[in-house]
Amino acid sequence: MLMRKIGIIGLGHVGSTVAHGLIAEGVADEYVFIDKNEGKVQAEALDFEDAKTNLANSYQITVNDYAALGDADVVISALGNIELQHNNPTHDRFVELSYNVEQVRQVAADLKQTDFSGVLVVITNPCDAIAALYQAETGYPKEKVIGTGTLLDTARMHRAVGKAFDVNPKSVAGYNLGEHGNSQFTAWSTVSLQGQPITKLAEEKGLDLAAIEQDSIVGGYTVFEGKGYTSYGIASAAIRLAKAVIQDAKVEMPVSHKRPEYGSYLSYPAVVGREGIVAYSQLDLTAEELSKLQNSADSIQSKFEEVVR
């Protein structure tokens, strides 16, 4: 029987929430938890051991053993330092880059010492730049290093549109594109509700799409200001992405990957399967949306180059 294995590097608020979701859903059979805080990671592992009797799924957990990642299907990078976002009035996720660069370089070096050949899923912020750094440092194929990117922001947009039109967010189609950060935007030409273009429906109802877009962008800050971090939304995105790999789902989703035409990691729909990005989607964007996407790519790349040389 083929055993499914997932590694999680960083067992803070997000990493532990990802672990709980994966284990509760029975996504994998084995997990590897990696964290510099030995006491914290051991405590998380023991807590999950105590949950076994009351969960439907069986699983094994290994702690702080990079070699155990050698046969993992997916490794999720959830490391970071959320404290850097406190007292950050711009809410720019690039405030975390300088700190996370050194952490990522060490993790990349450790990963290269293993036989890992699966898909690396990046949550660590700033997601797009960190995914690019992981790919450069590890030398893994670009198709196998994927950031969660605007998979989360798209869900936030679906939530905002659903609220505005009083429908379930699952009824909304379309994407937020670009950076998982301040230069992202809603590609309204891609958004529809029950088969109807959202622009037409908004005009009929007198709704302001700019306000809905802003709601989707600042939603994460609202959560952060209320509880000091975000966890469930981003964890759900990471779990969905990991499942697409594990199950070889070949499903289209807006994730951060290296787009050939931009030479940069950014979020754009792509088909995800067991080998990572297995097909590149192509949207029919408006001229204004193409300009916004280019601006976002340029913003990611310029900020990345300021710190990573």
Side-chain angles (χ1 to χ4, degrees):
M1 178 180 175
L2 181 65
M3 300 294 284
R4 304 159 299 172
K5 181 185 285 190
I6 296 177
I8 303 173
I9 300 175
L11 269 291
H13 296 303
V14 175
S16 58
T17 305
V18 170
H20 178 263
L22 290 168
I23 288 173
E25 289 191 42
V27 176
D29 308 292
E30 299 180 54
Y31 297 90
V32 181
F33 293 172
I34 306 284
D35 198 290
K36 292 192 298 184
N37 185 334
E38 183 74 23
K40 175 67 160 61
V41 71
Q42 292 287 357
E44 294 288 0
L46 180 58
D47 212 0
F48 281 117
E49 291 295 331
D50 289 343
K52 273 185 176 178
T53 296
N54 293 314
L55 288 176
N57 310 298
S58 296
Y59 50 89
Q60 300 298 321
I61 297 173
T62 301
V63 173
N64 280 350
D65 182 0
Y66 267 93
L69 297 174
D71 59 348
D73 301 286
V74 176
V75 168
I76 300 171
S77 171
L79 61 85
N81 184 355
I82 194 62
E83 296 300 319
L84 296 173
Q85 282 293 350
H86 292 280
N87 301 314
N88 175 25
T90 67
H91 296 296
D92 191 338
R93 292 174 176 86
F94 271 85
V95 74
E96 300 179 57
L97 182 58
S98 295
Y99 174 85
N100 286 337
V101 161
E102 296 310 314
Q103 313 306 310
V104 166
R105 282 178 169 153
Q106 183 58 60
V107 169
D110 291 336
L111 280 173
K112 286 169 66 177
Q113 298 302 310
T114 75
D115 295 325
F116 176 65
S117 61
V119 174
L120 179 59
V121 170
V122 180
I123 301 174
T124 300
N125 277 322
C127 180
D128 309 282
I130 292 297
L133 179 63
Y134 265 121
Q135 196 276 323
E137 292 289 321
T138 60
Y140 294 157
K142 65 181 186 299
E143 294 83 7
K144 289 195 168 189
V145 181
I146 310 173
T148 46
T150 63
L151 186 58
L152 171 57
D153 304 295
T154 293
R156 286 172 172 159
M157 181 268 288
H158 288 184
R159 182 261 306 157
V161 171
K163 179 181 177 183
F165 286 87
D166 193 26
V167 297
N168 191 301
K170 291 181 181 292
S171 299
V172 183
Y175 307 107
N176 273 28
L177 303 177
E179 176 193 1
H180 174 55
N182 293 351
S183 68
Q184 69 173 275
F185 64 97
T186 301
W188 290 115
S189 69
T190 70
V191 182
S192 64
L193 177 60
Q194 297 168 325
Q196 296 294 309
I198 201 71
T199 49
K200 176 185 175 183
L201 295 174
E203 184 177 355
E204 290 174 353
K205 293 196 67 171
L207 293 175
D208 182 4
L209 289 181
I212 295 174
E213 178 179 32
Q214 185 66 9
D215 185 8
S216 73
I217 293 173
V218 304
Y221 309 144
T222 303
V223 173
F224 176 82
E225 288 167 2
K227 63 187 236 182
Y229 57 94
T230 64
S231 54
Y232 304 127
I234 182 57
S236 296
I239 291 167
R240 182 183 172 196
L241 181 50
K243 287 170 68 177
V245 175
I246 287 275
Q247 297 169 358
D248 195 24
K250 295 185 175 66
V251 62
E252 185 180 66
M253 56 181 70
V255 292
S256 186
H257 59 289
K258 193 164 186 177
R259 292 289 300 189
E261 67 269 43
Y262 294 102
S264 171
Y265 267 79
L266 53 75
S267 282
Y268 196 100
V271 179
V272 179
R274 190 160 187 83
E275 297 303 311
I277 302 297
V278 298
Y280 294 92
S281 304
Q282 193 62 53
L283 299 173
D284 185 18
L285 299 176
T286 67
E288 180 182 8
E289 289 166 347
L290 286 170
S291 177
K292 288 180 178 180
L293 192 58
Q294 184 65 63
N295 288 339
S296 194
D298 293 343
S299 175
I300 293 166
Q301 194 63 26
S302 64
K303 290 178 181 177
F304 176 63
E305 290 174 354
E306 285 177 10
V307 178
V308 183
R309 294 179 175 86

